[in-house]
Amino acid sequence: MNQKKSTYYLLFMLLLIVANISAQNIQLVSFESNKLYSSGSGITVIINPTDTFKTDNHFILEISSINGNWTNSQIILDTEDFYTPALNAKIPENTATGKYKLRIRSTNPVTSIETPEFNITSGNAHKLPKIISSLPNNTNFFNCLNSESGNYIFGSHNQQEGATTALLNVAQRTLSFDNYQPTIRYNIHLYDIINNTKTPLNHENGVFQIPSNLQLGTYVIETESLLDNISSIQSFAFLFHGNGTSLGNSSSEEICV
């Protein structure tokens, strides 16, 4: 290969790499594809949207037909949002047993990613693992945890540079399952979206705490209830952000909307 051809080849490869990087508008952080689900189970996908999505953008979560075929896919969540780290939905009732995939789409800009295959088995779905927090709604914090209305976020947008969650008292860092049942096994994991880490959290009788050493960042708390080997999963976003952005806690109602 002469020098001119070599230069063209290297330029082509660099353009291809840049194109592939820029195409990664939504990164799949986690999806528990190794779990067993049933129709009616809660299901969650943790993502990192890396593009600048418009305010009228929709994130759409679809489930394929059996064997990962997209011919007759079904939308199970459609949310208007320019940023979200987690998508929660339920597997439709009467879904046949077999292998399926999920697809996450955005509308502005238009892009999509797929999850690995996962199994839906026969069985009865149990209650979603919902959590509650005593974090207040004021100029420093917001608490929008309400699974029924589709709000899964809480935290703060007004923290100083270098702040950690140690500034929250124990009560403010304490979370609990509002529908805790001793006969169900619960698994909890904390995802650090920025640093791409996953940490298990222990609970005692359905009560657990946010670690006191978290730095400014975006975190997702993934909760799983497990009964008869069937999982039901729901995630919640804990936003611990600084005050250097245009977002703020001037009104907790505006934050939650």
Side-chain angles (χ1 to χ4, degrees):
M1 183 180 293
N2 60 41
Q3 185 175 359
K4 186 175 182 180
K5 287 184 178 179
S6 177
T7 301
Y8 283 142
Y9 176 76
L10 289 174
L11 179 60
F12 172 77
M13 292 303 296
L14 286 172
L15 289 173
L16 184 62
I17 291 170
V18 170
N20 285 335
I21 292 174
S22 62
Q24 298 299 313
N25 304 106
I26 304 174
Q27 296 176 354
L28 180 62
V29 176
S30 178
F31 169 64
E32 298 288 358
S33 59
N34 60 327
K35 303 291 184 179
L36 275 179
Y37 302 92
S38 67
S39 60
S41 284
I43 201 162
T44 188
V45 180
I46 301 175
I47 60 174
N48 183 19
T50 59
D51 205 333
T52 304
F53 292 88
K54 307 301 181 184
T55 55
D56 63 347
N57 175 69
H58 284 239
F59 287 109
I60 298 170
L61 183 61
E62 295 176 282
I63 187 170
S64 70
S65 52
I66 200 165
N67 296 323
N69 190 309
W70 293 108
T71 304
N72 296 305
S73 63
Q74 185 174 352
I75 293 176
I76 56 177
L77 178 70
D78 185 341
T79 179
E80 185 175 359
D81 212 334
F82 64 89
Y83 176 79
T84 182
L87 299 172
N88 291 307
K90 282 187 178 182
I91 296 173
E93 298 290 346
N94 302 317
T95 301
T97 61
K99 292 184 178 295
Y100 293 82
K101 285 184 177 182
L102 297 177
R103 179 165 62 189
I104 304 97
R105 294 193 287 115
S106 63
T107 60
N108 195 0
V110 176
T111 187
S112 67
I113 56 170
E114 296 180 12
T115 68
E117 284 188 335
F118 64 97
N119 286 302
I120 294 178
T121 188
S122 59
N124 297 318
H126 45 281
K127 291 182 178 180
L128 284 169
K130 304 173 185 178
I131 64 172
I132 54 177
S133 166
S134 62
L135 200 67
N137 276 315
N138 53 37
T139 56
N140 293 317
F141 302 103
F142 63 92
N143 186 346
C144 308
L145 293 180
N146 188 333
S147 301
E148 303 303 326
S149 61
N151 284 329
Y152 304 96
I153 64 170
F154 66 117
S156 175
H157 285 306
N158 288 347
Q159 297 307 310
Q160 301 291 326
E161 182 179 354
T164 69
T165 48
L167 64 84
L168 279 70
N169 60 44
V170 174
Q172 292 172 337
R173 290 190 289 106
T174 298
L175 303 170
S176 61
F177 293 102
D178 70 346
N179 53 356
Y180 176 74
Q181 298 180 33
T183 56
I184 294 178
R185 177 182 174 184
Y186 295 89
N187 297 309
I188 311 164
H189 288 93
L190 177 74
Y191 289 85
D192 182 337
I193 301 298
I194 294 176
N195 296 308
N196 194 26
T197 60
K198 176 183 178 182
T199 306
L201 300 179
N202 296 321
H203 76 90
E204 185 174 350
N205 296 322
V207 179
F208 61 101
Q209 289 185 354
I210 295 171
S212 61
N213 61 346
L214 299 184
Q215 299 178 343
L216 297 181
T218 299
Y219 302 90
V220 173
I221 299 170
E222 181 189 79
T223 60
E224 175 195 14
S225 58
L226 185 64
L227 182 66
D228 298 330
N229 293 322
I230 296 177
S231 294
S232 194
I233 301 178
Q234 192 162 229
S235 291
F236 306 85
F238 175 61
L239 308 181
F240 194 63
H241 291 178
N243 57 10
T245 70
S246 58
L247 293 176
N249 291 25
S250 59
S251 165
S252 60
E253 288 80 9
E254 289 180 8
I255 293 285
C256 293
V257 171

